[in-house]
């Protein structure tokens, strides 16, 4: 619109100079054309808000243009860009009134230029003014709707970001609760059992009691190291220094009175750190369940590499449980099986549990070698 204004202003001045050379009004027309151009350039500097300076500037532009039209009617078509300037600056009613006033001057100028009366000169300028006003009003409505949509999108994005942060916080809490259950809680439970056994045998068998205490001390040291690892969110201590999953599983135990055997089937392949850590935590959580709930005397860990997946089976000879006991009430539910199931699902695997009263339990976790 700015470009159109300067083109119309230049064309009107050129037309006047070509058709009215050497007239006394020529210096005034040239001076007013330059003044109008300079005033128009100042418009963007003052901003679009209807401040007092902006309204004063608009008044000067319109007054200069009116004088130019009275001196040289060919400058009338510069009114079209001025329509938009008025519509952008003034409130709707005031802008429409100013557009009507400018249209009157345009009609007057066209009638002055015409050698005879032409009805089109009465109809064309109002039609152009009405079209320009309608286009501007439509564009303003679209711009308002677009701004409202953008505001809604920004607000929705902020709400979504807040929701994601809350979900991330909850997920991190769940992850930490599972980590603590599978590591620190297991260590503390083992220490408790060992210390209770030492207390029972302290007078009758001091050597055995001291052995229990030493074992509890070692477990406490491992628990302390694990706690420090959890603080720094590092991999399990059993997998430090390049240790592989089979060696870490072979070193696991389920506490005093429970024999744990480890079997490896298939040809081992390198596993991602995330998969190794998950399988180790699953084994630790399963052995914690064996120790606390099964009443078993023996457990077996089997790690199988089956081409496109790796499977970890944990079997015990405990008393097992029924189908109803497999789905406890929410208030009775612990972190063991839900934590194991969550780890398996997070890596795109499947979890299978087979158990019956008096026949022990077999827990099988199958993870794809290419984690989705």
């Amino acid at each position: 619109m700015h470009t159109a204004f300067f083109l119309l202003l230049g064309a009107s001045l050129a037309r006047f100079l070509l058709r009215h050379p050497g007239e006394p009004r020529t210096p005034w027309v040239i001076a007013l054309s330059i003044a109008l151009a300079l005033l128009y350039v100042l418009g963007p500097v003052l901003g679009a808000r209807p401040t007092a300076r902006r309204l004063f500037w608009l008044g000067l532009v319109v007054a200069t243009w009116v004088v130019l039209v009275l001196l040289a009617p060919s400058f009338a078509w510069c009114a079209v860009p001025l329509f938009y300037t008025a519509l952008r600056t003034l409130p709707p009613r005031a802008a429409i009134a100013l557009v009507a006033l400018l249209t009157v001057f345009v009609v007057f100028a066209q009638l002055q230029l015409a050698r005879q009366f032409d009805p089109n000169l009465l109809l064309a300028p109002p039609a152009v003014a009405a079209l320009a006003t309608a286009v501007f009003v439509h564009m303003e409505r679209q711009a308002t709707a677009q701004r409202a949509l953008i505001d809604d999108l920004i607000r929705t994005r902020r709400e979504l970001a807040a929701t994601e942060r809350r979900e991330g916080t909850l997920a991190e809490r769940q992850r930490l609760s599972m980590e603590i259950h599978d590591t620190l809680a297991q260590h503390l439970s083992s220490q408790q059992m060992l210390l209770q056994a030492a207390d029972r045998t302290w007078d009758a068998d001091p050597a055995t009691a001291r052995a229990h205490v030493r074992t509890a001390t070692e477990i406490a040291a491992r628990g302390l190291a694990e706690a420090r690892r959890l603080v720094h969110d590092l991999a399990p201590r059993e997998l430090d220094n390049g240790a592989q999953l089979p060696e870490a599983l072979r070193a696991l135990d389920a506490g005093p009175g429970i024999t744990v055997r480890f079997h490896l089937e298939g040809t081992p392949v390198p596993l991602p750190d995330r998969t190794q850590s998950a399988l180790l935590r699953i084994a630790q959580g399963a052995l914690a369940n064996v120790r606390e709930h099964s009443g078993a005397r023996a457990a077996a860990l089997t790690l199988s590499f089956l081409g496109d997946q790796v499977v970890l089976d944990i079997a015990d000879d405990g008393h097992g449980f029924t189908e109803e006991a497999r789905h406890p009430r929410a208030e009775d539910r612990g972190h063991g099986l839900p934590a194991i199931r969550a780890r398996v699902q997070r890596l795109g695997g499947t979890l299978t549990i087979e158990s019956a009263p008096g026949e022990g339990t077999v827990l099988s976790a199958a993870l794809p070698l290419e984690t989705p």
Side-chain angles (χ1 to χ4, degrees):
M1 196 55 57
H2 297 330
T3 303
F5 174 80
F6 287 108
L7 287 176
L8 291 172
L9 182 64
S12 300
L13 179 61
R15 182 179 186 277
F16 175 81
L17 294 177
L18 289 174
R19 296 199 176 190
H20 307 281
E23 291 190 7
R25 55 179 175 167
T26 299
W28 288 102
V29 171
I30 295 174
L32 288 174
S33 298
I34 296 174
L36 182 59
L38 293 176
L39 284 173
Y40 194 87
V41 169
L42 290 177
V45 178
L46 299 176
R49 298 178 60 186
T51 60
R53 290 196 305 173
R54 175 78 176 180
L55 295 177
F56 179 73
W57 166 84
L58 180 61
L60 284 180
V61 170
V62 172
T64 305
W65 174 80
V66 168
V67 175
L68 261 178
V69 171
L70 293 176
L71 291 176
S74 58
F75 284 88
W77 287 109
C78 293
V80 176
L82 295 181
F83 290 166
Y84 286 99
T85 302
L87 291 169
R88 284 198 307 269
T89 304
L90 299 175
R93 292 185 178 180
I96 292 175
L98 182 56
V99 168
L101 178 64
L102 296 178
T103 305
V104 170
F105 275 93
V106 172
V107 172
F108 169 78
Q110 295 302 308
L111 292 176
Q112 288 291 107
L113 290 174
R115 297 180 180 179
Q116 59 184 4
F117 178 77
D118 187 350
N120 288 331
L121 300 179
L122 288 175
L123 300 177
V128 172
L131 178 63
T133 303
V135 169
F136 178 84
V137 170
H138 178 68
M139 292 172 59
E140 275 294 300
R141 289 176 179 174
Q142 283 190 328
T144 301
Q146 187 178 32
R147 285 193 294 269
L149 178 61
I150 291 174
D151 292 340
D152 289 341
L153 290 175
I154 293 175
R155 183 171 58 255
T156 302
R157 185 175 63 182
R158 290 173 179 171
E159 293 174 354
L160 180 60
T163 301
E164 290 178 348
R165 285 195 295 270
R166 287 194 297 270
E167 290 179 352
T169 301
L170 293 176
E172 184 64 13
R173 288 179 179 176
Q174 182 183 14
R175 186 189 69 82
L176 287 176
S177 67
M178 292 189 299
E179 295 285 346
I180 292 172
H181 174 271
D182 293 343
T183 57
L184 300 182
Q186 183 181 1
H187 292 155
L188 291 173
S189 177
S190 298
Q191 293 173 50
Q192 183 184 30
M193 295 177 64
L194 288 168
L195 293 175
Q196 289 174 347
D199 182 62
R200 288 192 300 268
T201 61
W202 191 265
D203 295 328
D205 191 354
T208 301
R210 284 193 291 272
H212 288 328
V213 171
R214 286 194 297 271
T215 304
T217 303
E218 295 173 359
I219 294 175
R222 291 201 299 269
L224 178 60
E226 192 64 46
R228 291 170 177 169
R229 302 287 177 177
L230 285 175
V231 171
H232 296 284
D233 197 25
L234 297 177
R237 182 185 61 83
E238 292 86 351
L239 298 176
D240 279 352
N241 302 321
Q244 297 301 310
L245 181 62
E247 288 74 13
L249 293 176
R250 186 176 284 111
L252 293 179
D253 63 79
I258 303 177
T259 303
V260 178
R261 298 186 303 273
F262 172 75
H263 305 279
L264 177 63
E265 296 184 358
T267 303
V269 297
L271 296 175
D273 293 341
R274 186 181 181 187
T275 302
Q276 291 195 85
S277 177
L279 289 173
L280 179 60
R281 296 306 189 205
I282 290 170
Q284 290 174 327
L287 290 178
N289 286 342
V290 170
R291 180 182 62 251
E292 296 173 8
H293 307 297
S294 71
R297 301 187 62 83
L301 298 178
T302 304
L303 182 66
S304 305
F305 291 88
L306 304 177
D308 60 345
Q309 63 179 350
V310 57
V311 180
L312 176 63
D313 297 313
I314 303 98
D316 66 72
D317 60 355
H319 49 65
F321 53 85
T322 62
E323 183 66 24
E324 290 76 13
R326 190 177 304 181
H327 304 284
R329 296 176 301 172
E331 60 269 20
D332 299 330
R333 186 175 302 160
H335 287 283
L337 289 179
I340 293 173
R341 185 173 290 106
R343 292 182 189 278
V344 172
Q345 292 176 350
R346 190 178 298 122
L347 294 178
T350 57
L351 178 68
T352 304
I353 302 174
E354 298 178 359
S355 182
E359 298 182 6
T361 302
V362 178
L363 182 147
S364 178
L367 300 181
L369 290 183
E370 293 185 1
T371 304

